[in-house]
Amino acid sequence: MKKLIGSPGTLSGLLLRIGQCLFAAASIAAMASAFGFSNYTSFCYLIASMGLQVLWSSGLAFLDVYAIKIKRDLHNPVLVSLFVVGDWVTATLSLAAACSSAGVAVLYTKDMGFCKSLPHHPCSRFQISIALGFITWFLIFISSLVTFWLLASA
Amino acid sequence: MKKLIGSPGTLSGLLLRIGQCLFAAASIAAMASAFGFSNYTSFCYLIASMGLQVLWSSGLAFLDVYAIKIKRDLHNPVLVSLFVVGDWVTATLSLAAACSSAGVAVLYTKDMGFCKSLPHHPCSRFQISIALGFITWFLIFISSLVTFWLLASA
């Protein structure tokens, strides 16, 4: 297997995983600090999905650190298949959560105009959390493309 | 390049494309027949995204028919790269549209209980359209995985 930028066991791969963890955790923090988020199924789903992302990405970040430290090659087909499945599942769930929350946010901001008429509504926190969710998805999407490419070109 | 099930220029690939067109068109029809869908940005976006999907998949379906008829091989790297980009873009847009619409539908059905309290609200049509959107996404997702695999293993 070739070594690509962002592949498991490399420094760029580790940085990608750390980025995923940080943005997902920031998304959870922004959403959890918004009053009344728990009334919306989509926002709860965003928290759940970002929580899963933190678990998955931090696990792989620890694995990357271990592989870099003892200079072990993680590029064997079984491990990479596992990474591909996990990356794809979490990437799809993250995109789905960010989009469903964005759908609700757009409904409130644009279609109903709640954010203007109800100034106490925590619209901006919801929007920040959703934006961070999309950044998380973008980072995990890069990781999943790299691992899938590694598996396919093996 | 190897020939995989669902790859461009094969009968299974053609069937996948036809399925994408049919489900996307059915999703548009179900949404357009629901009264008041145009008040919701997410539902308009679903129609736009499914419209793009119909255009892309029907174009590739015609190309598949042509390739099967004159027995031409579509597996050259430039063509496959083009398929990969188009498939990924339309797949991501379809999932985003289906999820954002699902977010709004869940908000109305579960969080607010509008579907029970307002019997004239066309909830079921929205839900059918969204379900068809998810099936369309699943079919284009298969196509995009196959084309990406072809490109990576070339």
Side-chain angles (χ1 to χ4, degrees), chain A residues 17-32:
Chain A
R17 297 292 171 194
I18 292 174
Q20 289 155 21
C21 284
L22 290 182
F23 281 106
S27 174
I28 294 174
M31 186 56 84

Side-chain angles (χ1 to χ4, degrees), chain B residues 29-124:
Chain B
M31 188 54 85
S33 68
F35 179 74
F37 78 89
S38 58
N39 297 330
Y40 305 95
T41 308
S42 300
F43 295 162
C44 296
Y45 172 41
L46 182 66
I47 289 198
S49 164
M50 288 297 132
L52 179 70
Q53 192 64 66
V54 168
L55 286 177
W56 173 256
S57 295
S58 59
L60 289 206
F62 283 121
L63 197 64
D64 282 346
V65 169
Y66 169 79
I68 293 171
K69 215 163 187 180
I70 66 160
K71 294 204 174 69
R72 205 182 143 169
D73 191 15
L74 294 180
H75 292 126
N76 76 65
V78 179
L79 260 184
V80 173
S81 311
L82 185 79
F83 298 157
V84 168
V85 173
D87 277 350
W88 279 105
V89 170
T90 54
T92 308
L93 290 179
S94 294
L95 180 63
C99 289
S100 63
S101 302
V104 174
V106 168
L107 182 80
Y108 272 61
T109 313
K110 190 164 164 287
D111 301 342
M112 293 181 167
F114 272 10
C115 296
K116 277 185 191 160
S117 57
L118 301 172
H120 66 274
H121 200 272
C123 282
S124 56

